[in-house]
Amino acid sequence: MNIRFEKAAALKLKPDVSKVKFGSVYSDYMFMMDWTVDGGWQDPRIVPFEDLSLSPAALVFHYALEVFEGLKAYRTPEGKIQMFRVDENGKRMANSAERMSLPRLPEEMFVEAVEALVSVERDWVPDQPGTSLYVRPVLMAVNPDLALHGPAHCLFFIICSPVGSYYAGGLQCNAIRVEEQDVRAVRGGTGFAKCGGNYACAQRAANQAVADGYGDVLWLDGVERRFVEEVGGMNIMFKKGNTVMTPQIATGSVLPGITRKSIIELLKEQGYTVEEKKIDIDEVAKDLEDGKIEEIWGCGTAAVISPVGKLCIHGKDYVINNFETGPLARKLYDTLTGIQWGTVEDTHGWIFPIQ
Ligand SMILES: *Cc1c(COP(=O)(O)O)cnc(C)c1O
């Protein structure tokens, strides 16, 4: 791509990232590119971060034709900047786009755009332990079209936000609750796509769970309301002896997390049996009752690992591992964050150095 660069008149003061709330501060520049039916992808550019000017009739506002991604840029102890499996985010965004009838952005263009913007914004990647620069690519249809003929003009843009350490005080357990009323996704729906609509319909249950003292909801399948799917914005795993179980993604109703995929690879290398399958919530309850499930954790880019210390199933609270982080969750967290921040050797080719 021939990326045009428009210089900002002045640069912002960089905040103390330990005091910044997630998503409240954005960097100096954003990447932008248009797509039109007739002209395809065009005018890639890095421009000062600014408000968008869109028609109130733009498709995205009415019919939610939108998909996004979330990834991070890390600073190594030597001061180098690196990212994690950017190609996987590119593939996933293309698949999400396809589901929502949006144009597929080629994976190579996605990677090039992310790398170019992070390279320009390298000074925004914080250096305190556990901190990073969060990168949010978005693709949306913006042509004014209440009749919904489909995307004729799309915008692909990327913005960056410095984030503090998720666990300033060390890995912390979360309490989650099985959602009994709402559903998030069904087979044939959009569960596997990273789209805003999945979050919109999940919001009510998440708010209620928080109001009732839980950190997040555990979603069950949308038809039988019996099989475990995922937690809010994270996938979920259960450790039972030498086996780790996680819901299969073949149903199309679970988001195929890159953290999930990476952990499965690490676990297999370490000799664990990984079962990707349908997980019956009543069997989980029984296993918890019998003390057979030793650890549960959520996994995703934001927290990497979020140990579950309490799980509420059909109104009954089960405490897991005395509400303490289990040894396997900790080990996975240390390995994955070590690779991401450059203190553990990357033997998988997962790291994308930023020049
Ligand atoms: C992004 C996301 C995940 C985690 O995916 P990662 O690639 O590991 O960050 C899990 N569930 C949902 C609903 C998500 O949006």
Side-chain angles (χ1 to χ4, degrees), residues 133-179:
L133 185 66
Y134 185 77
V135 177
R136 168 56 60 90
V138 183
L139 171 63
M140 53 170 63
V142 296
N143 46 302
D145 177 15
L146 293 188
L148 191 43
H149 297 290
H153 179 198
C154 293
L155 273 185
F156 170 64
F157 60 84
I158 311 172
I159 54 177
C160 302
S161 176
V163 287
S165 176
Y166 195 90
Y167 295 113
L171 260 176
Q172 257 175 17
C173 281
N174 199 7
I176 61 175
R177 177 170 77 179
V178 169
E179 170 58 24

Side-chain angles (χ1 to χ4, degrees), residues 68-70 89 92 184 191 193-194 198-199 230-235 255-260 299-302:
F68 66 95
E69 273 303 325
N89 292 93
R92 186 169 66 191
R184 171 189 174 273
K194 211 168 175 77
N198 288 344
Y199 280 76
E230 61 184 308
V231 190
M234 282 187 284
N235 296 108
L255 200 291
I258 297 159
T259 318
R260 172 189 183 278
C299 56
T301 297

Side-chain angles (χ1 to χ4, degrees), residues 70-89:
L71 61 168
K72 288 173 172 176
Y74 311 89
R75 191 178 288 278
T76 71
E78 298 81 44
K80 292 187 183 137
I81 312 294
Q82 59 183 35
M83 299 187 74
F84 185 73
R85 309 193 81 172
V86 186
D87 54 333
E88 291 288 338
N89 292 93

Side-chain angles (χ1 to χ4, degrees), residues 68-272:
F68 66 95
E69 273 303 325
L71 61 168
K72 288 173 172 176
Y74 311 89
R75 191 178 288 278
T76 71
E78 298 81 44
K80 292 187 183 137
I81 312 294
Q82 59 183 35
M83 299 187 74
F84 185 73
R85 309 193 81 172
V86 186
D87 54 333
E88 291 288 338
N89 292 93
K91 275 190 202 110
R92 186 169 66 191
M93 192 160 103
N95 291 336
S96 300
E98 202 271 328
R99 178 63 184 84
M100 308 304 283
S101 312
L102 292 165
R104 285 180 76 101
L105 175 68
E107 180 192 320
E108 312 75 54
M109 284 167 81
F110 177 96
V111 172
E112 195 183 335
V114 168
E115 288 181 341
L117 180 64
V118 172
S119 182
V120 166
E121 295 293 58
R122 55 186 310 112
D123 289 348
W124 278 91
V125 183
D127 60 3
Q128 287 142 270
T131 64
S132 59
L133 185 66
Y134 185 77
V135 177
R136 168 56 60 90
V138 183
L139 171 63
M140 53 170 63
V142 296
N143 46 302
D145 177 15
L146 293 188
L148 191 43
H149 297 290
H153 179 198
C154 293
L155 273 185
F156 170 64
F157 60 84
I158 311 172
I159 54 177
C160 302
S161 176
V163 287
S165 176
Y166 195 90
Y167 295 113
L171 260 176
Q172 257 175 17
C173 281
N174 199 7
I176 61 175
R177 177 170 77 179
V178 169
E179 170 58 24
E180 312 274 351
Q181 187 190 356
D182 293 352
V183 298
R184 171 189 174 273
V186 292
R187 193 178 288 198
T190 59
F192 71 89
K194 211 168 175 77
C195 64
N198 288 344
Y199 280 76
C201 71
Q203 207 47 29
R204 178 171 79 171
N207 290 345
Q208 193 55 53
V210 169
D212 294 342
Y214 295 88
D216 218 327
V217 299
L218 177 62
W219 294 104
L220 300 182
D221 76 280
V223 179
E224 296 181 64
R225 302 189 181 208
R226 182 174 150 206
F227 299 105
V228 175
E229 299 228 302
E230 61 184 308
V231 190
M234 282 187 284
N235 296 108
I236 187 145
M237 298 185 174
F238 302 84
K239 177 183 185 285
K240 204 175 147 180
N242 198 44
T243 299
V244 174
M245 306 179 295
T246 192
Q248 58 188 27
I249 53 171
T251 55
S253 49
V254 174
L255 200 291
I258 297 159
T259 318
R260 172 189 183 278
K261 181 174 178 171
S262 306
I263 288 175
I264 290 174
E265 288 179 47
L266 291 174
L267 284 169
K268 286 183 177 166
E269 284 167 18
Q270 291 167 16
Y272 287 92

